[in-house]
Amino acid sequence: MADAQPVTAAERSIHARKPAAKRAAGRELSGHAKLFAQPAYDGLAGAEPFLKRLIPILIVAFLVVVATARFVNMSEDRDRLLTAAEHMTALSLAAASATFSADTTPVKQAQRWETEARLNRVLGAMPDTGGRYMVVVDAQDRVFASTSGGQHLVGRTISSLLRESSPLWLFGARAGVQEIGFDGADYLAAMARLPDGAGAVLALTPVSDMNEAWRQSVSVNVTLFIATSSILLVILYAYFSQAGRAQEADGIYLESHRRVDMALSRGRCGLWDWDMARGRLYWSRSMYEILGLEPRDSVISFGEASRLIHPDDGDLYEIAQKVASGDIKQVDHLFRMRHAAGHYVWMRARAQVVDPTSAQTHLIGIAMDVTEQYRLQQRTAEADQRLFDAIESTSEAFVLWDRDDRLVLWNKHYQEIHGLPADILAPGTPRATVEAAATRPVVARRLAVPCARGVAQTYEVQLADGRWLQINERQTRDGGQVSVGTDITPLKRNQERLRDSEKRLMATIGDLTTSQSELKRKAEELSELNQDYQVEKERAEAGSRAKSEFLANMSHELRTPLNAIIGFSEVLQARMFGPLGSDKYSEYADDIHNSGIHLLTVINDILDMAKIEAGQMQIERENVDLVPLLEETMRLLAIQAEKKGIEVQQRIPAHLSLPADRRAMKQILLNLLSNAVKFTEPGGRILVRARKTSRAVTLTIEDTGIGIPKALLCRIGQPFEQVQNQFSKSTGGSGLGLAISRSLAELHGGAMKVRSAEGVGTIVSIRVPITFPDLRAAAE
């Protein structure tokens, strides 16, 4: 019974929303009407979990508040008890102190009973003793007398009760009430000194008695709180049990509703309930989703629904009149409805009158979204039309037969080629009837079709007017046949022309065979000449290598005599063995020395170039500092530069170094600077610069010499090449300086670049990479 309560309540809520006339006309539709109440139920279902969570929170909060209030109250009670006990202790001490201060008789052992009687009178006058007792201490600091409850302290020294550093011992009554402990118990104590050192009065209130009273109060409060909490927890448990059963019933209802709603949404289908007497329509949520409208928990009016229907797809009022008059009992209508986005959705509505005998007409049915099906039908019709247009516009004769050899489809070319009358060509005409009415071909032969036996066949026919047709027939999947006839008259004529051309070609081939024999003979002759050329080429290359190797090996034989000539001429110049007979001999000795030096320089350049060409020049890399190397080179050319008044400047950063062969770099600098000094006119300037990047070091030598014509720049750097002009002829030279410098730079993996303007000057740049692979390893 508990499980059915939520459903019954939901039904009552749904029926309450319906008009009274609708309940009377269609009580059997209550199950369908539940679907339309979903939005309101969703709102209630959305609020219910919040209330379920809020109730236990409120109960727990109530218990926490009660517990906090009782805890604060009990804490305040204990504070009040403690304050009252301190006050009563202070009052008892004050009363006893006043009693003993009035009588200054010394306290003696024989007066103990009298002293205790006086203490009991003072203590009895108090409204609430609370376990309190008082003791009297004599002049020797021993407990002399005590009220009941403190007899066990008689005879003990005051030091066993109080520490000498205690404020009560030091200040007496001025210290007020203090909490002390002895014999394992805590006491509220107050102490007053008697006049004339007669002793002291000490009031003691046990804290345990006060705590016992407070614990009894706490016990009562805790018991009441636990009883209240238990009752509330039982109520909370009963609430959750009932709520769980209600939630389970709600879950069953929501799950069934969700399934129906999901089925409608996935199927693009909507439920609607038409109360024609009231002119109202009840739509399911899926109906609103199909039209892109916001779902709502209210009916849609007859006029509002009619405005959504396309005006060309019928009138909703007309359908309503037919149903109301009894002309139709069922509705099956295809129409368009306007979507919220502005476009139209094709719908197919089917409905039936619920109770034809009822005075109030009531319909219920479904509406399906058939937009995709309608568009598919349109595309199919358009595709059929395009196919028909394509078949009609093709130049081939096309005909299609079904599996029973009846005519299905044809085009006008098929009718024209076969001369068929129009009354014969009709869908369903037997194939034998159509072929009997067609004109007979003059020639007909069947062609072989590879890999198509039983599926396709090809014919060639010649018509009476001389045209040729190639007819291809192929079987369709349903057992019919499609036939396509292609006009191959131009192809047949081309075949005839090809046969004539073939005859002429055979004659030409004979002539070509003769010419081919002649060409073959000439090719053999050219092959022999090529072999002779290769032999001569190899012989020339061998001679060149022999020349280079000879020059490289003649280094010692050529340099030794020259060194002797130069040495003896220097002996003559220095007059080591006495003066020469004539100044003429001195002049000749200078000429011999200068000529020997010049010849040695030329021979050194030739031999260095030969070694480079022969591949015998090896470089050994080391870390070379450019500034000292440049200064060393400039010392060799300083005299020549000073004679011509040439200013030599260098802009090289300090400690600029690169991995290179020191001798090769010195030779490059010497050759380039020597050329710059040689071809720079007196009063000129030479600038040496260098810069280092992450990959290479670039060395630049710039002069203001005679320059090189632009047309001759391409020859600079080639062995034995010199730019011939009047100045260069007078200076002489072998023409190998730049070639050697270029070759040495390339051995380092770098390059040399020359820029010059005639009459302005020349700039020579040498680029040497910092990291350079082994050329010999790369060659291998």
Side-chain angles (χ1 to χ4, degrees):
M1 294 298 292
D3 294 341
Q5 282 182 353
V7 179
T8 305
E11 291 178 357
R12 288 200 302 270
S13 175
I14 293 167
H15 283 289
R17 291 188 180 93
K18 289 186 176 182
K22 180 169 180 65
R23 293 203 307 269
R27 295 181 182 276
E28 69 280 3
L29 301 176
S30 60
H32 297 288
K34 292 175 186 177
L35 299 173
F36 308 131
Q38 176 63 24
Y41 187 85
D42 286 345
L44 182 60
E48 186 175 353
F50 174 75
L51 294 176
K52 289 180 180 179
R53 291 192 297 267
L54 185 60
I55 289 174
I57 292 174
L58 291 175
I59 292 176
V60 173
F62 172 74
L63 293 176
V64 171
V65 171
V66 171
T68 304
R70 297 312 304 163
F71 177 77
V72 172
N73 190 15
M74 288 184 292
S75 299
E76 292 177 353
D77 288 346
R78 189 178 187 281
D79 293 339
R80 284 196 298 272
L81 288 174
L82 183 61
T83 302
E86 291 178 352
H87 182 66
M88 294 305 297
T89 302
L91 286 177
S92 300
L93 178 66
S97 178
T99 299
F100 285 99
S101 296
D103 186 4
T104 57
T105 302
V107 179
K108 298 181 180 179
Q109 181 69 26
Q111 298 171 338
R112 173 180 175 183
W113 62 272
E114 184 180 357
T115 303
E116 289 180 350
R118 295 169 65 182
L119 290 175
N120 288 326
R121 284 195 299 273
V122 172
L123 193 61
M126 296 291 106
D128 181 19
T129 59
R132 189 178 308 105
Y133 56 89
M134 302 177 65
V135 298
V136 177
V137 182
D138 59 11
Q140 286 77 27
D141 294 334
R142 288 185 177 273
V143 178
F144 170 71
S146 173
T147 60
S148 60
Q151 296 297 326
H152 63 284
L153 300 178
V154 175
R156 297 179 59 175
T157 60
I158 192 65
S159 61
S160 64
L161 304 179
L162 297 175
R163 295 190 302 272
E164 294 182 358
S165 61
S166 173
L168 294 175
W169 180 263
L170 296 175
F171 303 106
R174 290 180 299 168
V177 180
Q178 299 287 327
E179 186 172 349
I180 64 174
F182 59 88
D183 295 339
D186 294 330
Y187 298 88
L188 294 176
M191 182 177 177
R193 298 278 186 181
L194 297 177
D196 302 328
V201 180
L202 180 64
L204 297 173
T205 302
V207 177
S208 60
D209 295 341
M210 181 193 64
N211 288 339
E212 181 63 26
W214 179 74
R215 279 195 293 270
Q216 291 177 359
S217 175
V218 170
S219 178
V220 172
N221 282 278
V222 170
T223 302
L224 292 175
F225 176 76
I226 292 175
T228 304
S229 301
S230 300
I231 294 172
L232 290 176
L233 290 176
V234 170
I235 295 173
L236 182 62
Y237 174 75
Y239 167 77
F240 272 110
S241 298
Q242 183 65 18
R245 287 192 293 271
Q247 185 177 7
E248 183 178 356
D250 292 346
I252 295 172
Y253 171 76
L254 291 176
E255 180 64 22
S256 61
H257 178 78
R258 186 186 65 82
R259 290 176 181 175
V260 173
D261 195 35
M262 182 179 295
L264 293 175
S265 298
R266 294 292 177 88
R268 301 288 293 170
C269 181
L271 287 176
W272 55 280
D273 188 353
W274 188 359
D275 185 359
M276 298 185 64
R278 300 289 181 179
R280 296 179 179 179
L281 287 172
Y282 293 86
W283 280 357
S284 65
R285 177 185 291 269
S286 57
M287 192 68 184
Y288 288 98
E289 291 177 354
I290 292 174
L291 297 178
L293 300 174
E294 187 70 25
R296 54 186 177 179
D297 185 30
S298 62
V299 297
I300 184 171
S301 66
F302 186 82
E304 186 178 356
S306 181
R307 286 192 296 271
L308 293 176
I309 298 177
H310 196 280
D312 298 337
D313 294 339
D315 191 356
L316 196 60
Y317 292 98
E318 182 180 354
I319 298 175
Q321 290 176 357
K322 290 181 179 180
V323 173
S325 62
D327 295 340
I328 58 175
K329 302 298 182 183
Q330 296 180 351
V331 176
D332 189 351
H333 188 55
L334 182 66
F335 57 95
R336 286 169 288 180
M337 296 191 75
R338 187 172 64 251
H339 193 272
H343 63 276
Y344 281 91
V345 179
W346 283 93
M347 306 289 292
R348 187 178 189 89
R350 292 178 178 177
Q352 187 173 2
V353 177
V354 176
D355 187 6
T357 62
S358 176
Q360 295 180 346
T361 307
H362 195 92
L363 282 84
I364 188 168
I366 62 173
M368 296 175 292
D369 182 3
V370 294
T371 305
E372 292 298 327
Q373 293 86 334
Y374 185 80
R375 291 176 180 172
L376 182 61
Q377 292 176 359
Q378 284 186 326
R379 287 197 294 268
T380 302
E382 292 173 357
D384 292 342
Q385 185 61 38
R386 286 195 297 268
L387 177 61
F388 179 77
D389 294 341
I391 292 174
E392 191 65 30
S393 61
T394 185
S395 60
E396 283 79 11
F398 178 85
V399 63
L400 177 63
W401 312 94
D402 62 12
R403 61 188 305 172
D404 298 324
D405 281 343
R406 291 191 296 266
L407 185 62
V408 178
L409 188 63
W410 70 96
N411 63 359
K412 61 181 180 180
H413 294 289
Y414 176 76
Q415 180 181 0
E416 293 173 357
I417 288 175
H418 293 282
L420 292 169
D423 56 352
I424 294 294
L425 296 176
T429 304
R431 184 172 184 176
T433 303
V434 176
E435 290 181 350
T439 56
R440 294 290 179 181
V442 178
V443 178
R445 59 173 176 266
R446 182 174 177 177
L447 303 179
V449 180
C451 302
R453 182 175 299 177
V455 179
Q457 53 187 355
T458 302
Y459 297 93
E460 283 187 356
V461 297
Q462 185 180 15
L463 304 178
D465 57 2
R467 289 183 298 168
W468 283 87
L469 290 180
Q470 181 176 328
I471 300 175
N472 298 306
E473 292 185 354
R474 183 173 292 274
Q475 188 174 357
T476 60
R477 292 184 178 180
D478 59 353
Q481 280 191 343
V482 60
S483 177
V484 178
T486 305
D487 188 355
I488 59 171
T489 303
L491 180 61
K492 286 294 185 179
R493 293 173 181 172
N494 289 334
Q495 287 179 353
E496 293 179 0
R497 288 195 292 270
L498 285 175
R499 282 193 290 270
D500 295 338
S501 299
E502 185 178 0
K503 294 177 182 179
R504 291 193 295 271
L505 181 61
M506 295 302 294
T508 304
I509 289 174
D511 297 337
L512 289 175
T513 303
T514 304
S515 300
Q516 185 179 9
S517 301
E518 183 66 21
L519 289 174
K520 184 177 180 180
R521 183 183 60 80
K522 290 183 178 180
E524 291 176 353
E525 292 179 358
L526 287 175
S527 178
E528 293 177 359
L529 291 175
N530 187 34
Q531 291 178 358
D532 295 341
Y533 168 75
Q534 291 294 334
V535 171
E536 293 299 327
K537 180 181 177 183
E538 292 175 358
R539 186 178 301 168
E541 291 176 351
S544 177
R545 286 195 299 272
K547 178 264 298 182
S548 298
E549 292 175 358
F550 170 76
L551 290 175
N553 293 329
M554 289 299 292
S555 173
H556 178 72
E557 285 75 4
L558 291 175
R559 287 174 177 163
T560 299
L562 281 173
N563 287 332
I565 294 172
I566 294 171
F568 288 129
S569 63
E570 289 177 350
V571 169
L572 292 175
Q573 286 179 334
R575 295 174 175 84
M576 293 179 62
F577 301 103
L580 297 177
S582 171
D583 292 337
K584 205 67 173 175
Y585 293 127
S586 215
E587 181 181 352
Y588 289 161
D590 292 340
D591 291 341
I592 293 171
H593 181 265
N594 293 335
S595 298
I597 291 296
H598 177 70
L599 182 58
L600 180 60
T601 302
V602 173
I603 290 175
N604 286 335
D605 291 343
I606 293 173
L607 293 176
D608 289 342
M609 196 67 206
K611 287 182 68 178
I612 293 174
E613 289 182 349
Q616 297 182 3
M617 177 67 74
Q618 302 293 331
I619 61 173
E620 296 181 359
R621 291 180 177 270
E622 60 178 300
N623 200 23
V624 178
D625 194 344
L626 284 180
V627 175
L629 185 64
L630 178 62
E631 293 175 353
E632 182 181 344
T633 305
M634 288 303 303
R635 284 196 293 270
L636 299 176
L637 301 172
I639 297 175
Q640 299 180 20
E642 289 177 0
K643 287 182 179 180
K644 298 180 70 174
I646 297 173
E647 180 185 2
V648 181
Q649 298 178 358
Q650 64 96 4
R651 297 177 185 174
I652 300 178
H655 308 294
L656 178 61
S657 61
L658 75 159
D661 188 289
R662 182 179 180 83
R663 187 185 65 82
M665 291 303 300
K666 182 177 180 180
Q667 188 169 359
I668 291 173
L669 287 173
L670 186 61
N671 289 342
L672 297 181
L673 288 172
S674 176
N675 284 345
V677 172
K678 184 187 300 182
F679 294 106
T680 300
E681 297 178 351
R685 181 178 62 87
I686 298 174
L687 176 62
V688 182
R689 294 175 296 174
R691 64 184 180 90
K692 186 175 184 180
T693 62
S694 60
R695 295 184 178 182
V697 173
T698 303
L699 182 65
T700 303
I701 298 176
E702 179 182 354
D703 61 53
T704 57
I706 61 175
I708 303 171
K710 186 175 182 180
L712 301 178
L713 276 176
C714 59
R715 295 167 52 187
I716 297 301
Q718 301 296 327
F720 303 103
E721 288 289 345
Q722 285 184 308
V723 179
Q724 296 296 329
N725 57 23
Q726 190 64 31
F727 183 76
S728 63
K729 288 180 181 179
S730 63
T731 57
S734 61
L736 292 174
L738 289 178
I740 292 174
S741 299
R742 181 189 294 274
S743 298
L744 291 176
E746 290 174 353
L747 283 176
H748 283 82
M752 184 182 76
K753 185 176 181 181
V754 180
R755 291 173 293 171
S756 181
E758 192 173 5
V760 177
T762 303
I763 301 175
V764 181
S765 298
I766 299 294
R767 182 179 181 275
V768 180
I770 296 175
T771 59
F772 176 66
D774 192 354
L775 286 179
R776 290 173 295 177
E780 292 175 359

